[in-house]
Amino acid sequence: MTLDPDSFVLTDNDTGKALIQGTDYQITETSTGFKIEFLGALKTSAKDYYTLTYKTSFDTNEVPEVCQMVLKDSFYPLEISSCGRSFLLFY
């Protein structure tokens, strides 16, 4: 999966205002993803709730095999087969 760093939008839920990347916050890539850090006045006093939205993409050729789950019977417990494995489902 590939992250589109230009798609980041950080919104203040209380005011509805979109924050400005590079002015209000910065994003830094890390070895496991990314880190968001508030800047300026928000760095010392971010009192509202915020929502981060962003886009990702992926190469369908790199997606692992998708296995279909098949219910073998309708008795309790159900036996489910998926990717050559069997599971018992208790409900």
Side-chain angles (χ1 to χ4, degrees):
M1 185 173 290
T2 304
L3 175 69
D4 177 2
D6 295 328
S7 70
F8 279 101
V9 177
L10 187 59
T11 305
D12 183 323
N13 292 347
D14 294 337
T15 66
K17 174 187 167 193
L19 279 63
I20 300 169
Q21 187 174 346
T23 302
D24 298 319
Y25 69 99
Q26 70 180 7
I27 298 170
T28 308
E29 287 189 49
T30 67
S31 61
T32 58
F34 58 89
K35 176 177 106 174
I36 299 174
E37 182 179 6
F38 288 115
L39 302 174
L42 290 174
K43 189 169 189 165
T44 58
S45 178
K47 60 182 175 54
D48 296 336
Y49 290 93
Y50 301 88
T51 299
L52 174 67
T53 57
Y54 56 90
K55 295 179 184 176
T56 59
S57 62
F58 63 93
D59 182 351
T60 56
N61 294 321
E62 295 179 10
V63 175
E65 176 187 354
V66 176
C67 299
Q68 181 179 5
M69 296 184 106
V70 178
L71 299 178
K72 293 224 176 175
D73 56 44
S74 60
F75 298 105
Y76 176 81
L78 294 175
E79 183 180 351
I80 301 171
S81 293
S82 176
C83 296
R85 299 182 196 116
S86 290
F87 305 91
L88 292 178
L89 175 64
F90 296 90
Y91 56 95

